[in-house]
Amino acid sequence: MEKKREMFAGENGLQGDPRLKAISEAIRVVPHFPKPGIMFQDITTLLLDHKAFKDTVDIFVDRYRDMGISVVAGVEARGFMFGPSIALAIGAKFVPLRKPKKLPGEVISEAYVLEYGTDCLEMHVGAVQRGERALVIDDLIATGGTLCAAIKLLERVGAEVVECACVIGLPEAKGQCRLNGKPLYILVEPRK
Amino acid sequence: MYVYKCVSIYSPPSPSLSCLSDHHNRPLPCVPLSESNPVVHLRETRKRRGSFVVSLSATMSACKDQDPRIHGIKTKIRVVPNFPKPGIMFQDITTLLLDPKAFKDTIDLFVERYKGKNISVVAGIEARGFIFGPPIALAIGAKFVPLRKPRKLPGKVISEEYILEYGRDCLEMHVGAVEPGDRALVVDDLIATGGTLCAAMNLLERVGAEVVECACVIELPELKGRDRLNGKPLYILVEYH
């Protein structure tokens, strides 16, 4: 029977790690953005704190370096801020997953549902090969819709998604520790 | 007769220095910035305390057969014709990102240039500047500041408009992200006309930062983007003609 894996880093190997507290405190909350009622978790302040930003990347790198991961797929645009550094450190390629019509050449698309309407994520044909082990990275998981679309893109080309990693995980994600059966790894909860 | 200027990247370029070409208006050849490779045939020199380095124009590039890593990087960039519209040969860096060694070499070339130069800010232009900027920032101990399209950054921002071929666009930066006296590097994947980089530099200078240099993987020299950088130095890895 598979051992239950907690999705928050602080419950999964990094209990009491002071880096997590510093990372959480470096994140700024902006109320009512992009619309009333939403407490936006702004990671740009984390990027201004060199040590906290480095610690964020290092925690992910330490976790994934020995998992045989050959692809880090980052979701546009804030996934681009974390993914490449992780990819470089673990020797994986970086694949950007983008909004429609940004990637040149041949792409595959995956639609996903928003609160009102749908959106779409695209990946380059040929970027990822069958059998590759992939990590999906984004700054934050809310409903999981975008990450789900990302997983589907990778699985459609025959890759194996090893894990989805996010800096911040919203409460809705808890209890949904697995996304379509894929494990989720999160560093911190949102700040109030 | 050739006139050369000397630029040290250990201190900001003097406003009295100007862009150069020879008197036939041919662009001067680029020489990689290197202390072991000073340029000969100097008519006008300027010594700076500490290191003495020379460039032949406001553009510096690593592309001229000096660094063996450049060839590997150049061959990994894919050209996609007629994207986003007919006539444009799009320089696609995503294929570079698929090659861990070439991607690492790209970052290393920038890090080697900027480490130890007291750069406190790396500003990356959305979205492909977000791919190259953060690894550089992390390696050199700088903060990373994303420069974004309108309405993406939450909270208080400053905006800088710039002209496109048809119409205008706008770049935004967070108020408070960059402080007066910060020494900044601007990073993007490519410089074409230079409009976006110019807007980026303006944002940084408006808050009192000093733009030390602009760094791009690719330059399209025929579009003369370097002329729009108000004399700020530009460092690039490869040119596409």
Side-chain angles (χ1 to χ4, degrees):
Chain A
M1 183 155 81
E2 191 183 329
K3 197 169 101 167
K4 182 177 189 240
R5 291 165 63 202
E6 296 297 339
M7 69 177 179
F8 280 93
E11 294 156 0
N12 187 347
L14 294 181
Q15 284 83 347
D17 191 318
R19 294 177 297 176
L20 292 176
K21 182 163 180 283
I23 289 166
S24 177
E25 286 171 358
I27 294 165
R28 172 173 78 148
V29 181
V30 181
H32 310 303
F33 182 89
K35 45 187 220 245
I38 298 190
M39 303 297 277
F40 189 88
Q41 305 289 312
D42 180 16
I43 50 92
T44 65
T45 42
L46 172 63
L47 309 176
L48 296 178
D49 180 335
H50 178 263
K51 180 177 188 315
F53 184 20
K54 186 175 185 304
D55 286 342
T56 303
V57 171
D58 285 349
I59 289 170
F60 287 128
V61 168
D62 287 341
R63 181 176 178 79
Y64 297 116
R65 104 174 350 118
D66 296 321
M67 285 197 187
I69 288 172
S70 56
V71 179
V72 173
V75 179
E76 165 164 24
R78 288 183 289 266
F80 292 4
M81 298 178 197
F82 299 94
S85 299
I86 299 168
L88 285 162
I90 69 174
K93 53 193 182 186
F94 178 73
V95 173
L97 304 181
R98 297 209 68 174
K99 293 288 163 69
K101 298 186 282 295
K102 301 290 185 70
L103 291 170
E106 225 193 324
V107 297
I108 57 168
S109 293
E110 183 74 27
Y112 60 101
V113 177
L114 296 172
E115 193 181 3
Y116 298 109
T118 60
D119 206 338
C120 198
L121 212 54
E122 294 186 341
M123 180 173 78
H124 265 139
V125 168
V128 176
Q129 315 302 319
R130 178 161 300 277
E132 291 209 72
R133 286 166 59 79
L135 170 69
V136 180
I137 180 108
D138 204 356
D139 66 321
L140 179 146
I141 173 172
T143 61
T146 319
L147 281 176
C148 242
I151 294 170
K152 289 202 177 116
L153 280 171
L154 290 157
E155 291 186 334
R156 276 166 61 187
V157 298
E160 177 199 342
V161 176
V162 173
E163 197 154 86
C164 293
C166 300
V167 180
I168 307 161
L170 261 55
E172 296 94 283
K174 202 164 189 164
Q176 258 201 78
C177 177
R178 299 178 148 258
L179 236 71
N180 289 350
K182 294 304 163 186
L184 182 60
Y185 185 73
I186 300 171
L187 297 193
V188 299
E189 292 193 40
R191 300 184 70 195
K192 304 282 180 281
Chain B
M1 289 295 196
Y2 288 75
V3 176
Y4 299 78
K5 75 169 176 180
C6 301
V7 175
S8 165
I9 62 166
Y10 299 103
S11 57
S14 158
S16 66
L17 297 173
S18 54
C19 282
L20 300 171
S21 57
D22 71 5
H23 68 291
H24 293 300
N25 229 24
R26 289 172 301 200
L28 294 174
C30 297
V31 172
L33 203 63
S34 152
E35 290 177 43
S36 62
N37 187 9
V39 174
V40 293
H41 309 310
L42 300 170
R43 290 198 66 210
E44 185 181 308
T45 66
R46 185 192 207 102
K47 276 216 170 95
R48 306 262 179 179
R49 184 160 29 126
S51 293
F52 176 73
V53 294
V54 172
S55 82
L56 298 180
S57 72
T59 296
M60 289 175 269
S61 71
C63 64
K64 301 295 191 270
D65 309 317
Q66 293 289 323
D67 194 298
R69 293 171 286 184
I70 291 296
H71 177 75
I73 291 166
K74 184 160 187 151
T75 55
K76 289 296 173 179
I77 296 166
R78 171 173 78 150
V79 180
V80 180
N82 302 314
F83 182 88
K85 45 186 220 244
I88 296 191
M89 301 295 278
F90 188 88
Q91 305 290 311
D92 182 15
I93 51 90
T94 64
T95 40
L96 173 64
L97 311 177
L98 296 179
D99 182 329
K101 183 189 183 308
F103 184 23
K104 183 180 185 302
D105 287 344
T106 304
I107 299 299
D108 285 349
L109 281 161
F110 290 122
V111 170
E112 285 162 22
R113 182 177 180 83
Y114 299 114
K115 196 165 197 163
K117 305 297 186 294
N118 224 19
I119 300 214
S120 51
V121 180
V122 174
I125 298 178
E126 168 161 22
R128 288 181 288 267
F130 294 177
I131 296 174
F132 297 97
I136 297 168
L138 285 168
I140 69 174
K143 51 193 181 186
F144 177 73
V145 173
L147 305 181
R148 299 209 66 174
K149 294 290 163 69
R151 295 176 297 281
K152 302 290 186 73
L153 291 171
K156 216 161 158 224
V157 298
I158 60 169
S159 294
E160 181 79 18
E161 228 182 24
Y162 61 101
I163 311 257
L164 295 172
E165 193 182 4
Y166 299 109
R168 301 164 174 270
D169 207 339
C170 198
L171 212 55
E172 294 186 341
M173 181 172 78
H174 265 140
V175 169
V178 175
E179 287 162 340
D182 265 329
R183 281 169 53 83
L185 174 68
V186 183
V187 174
D188 207 355
D189 65 322
L190 177 145
I191 175 171
T193 62
T196 321
L197 277 174
C198 193
M201 288 186 347
N202 288 344
L203 280 171
L204 291 158
E205 290 182 338
R206 278 166 60 188
V207 298
E210 175 201 342
V211 176
V212 174
E213 195 156 87
C214 294
C216 299
V217 180
I218 305 161
E219 182 191 13
L220 307 180
E222 273 105 17
L223 297 183
K224 302 193 189 304
R226 76 183 76 152
D227 297 342
R228 284 184 75 170
L229 300 183
N230 298 332
K232 287 295 178 183
L234 169 70
Y235 179 71
I236 55 126
L237 301 188
V238 302
E239 292 177 358
Y240 182 79
H241 295 271

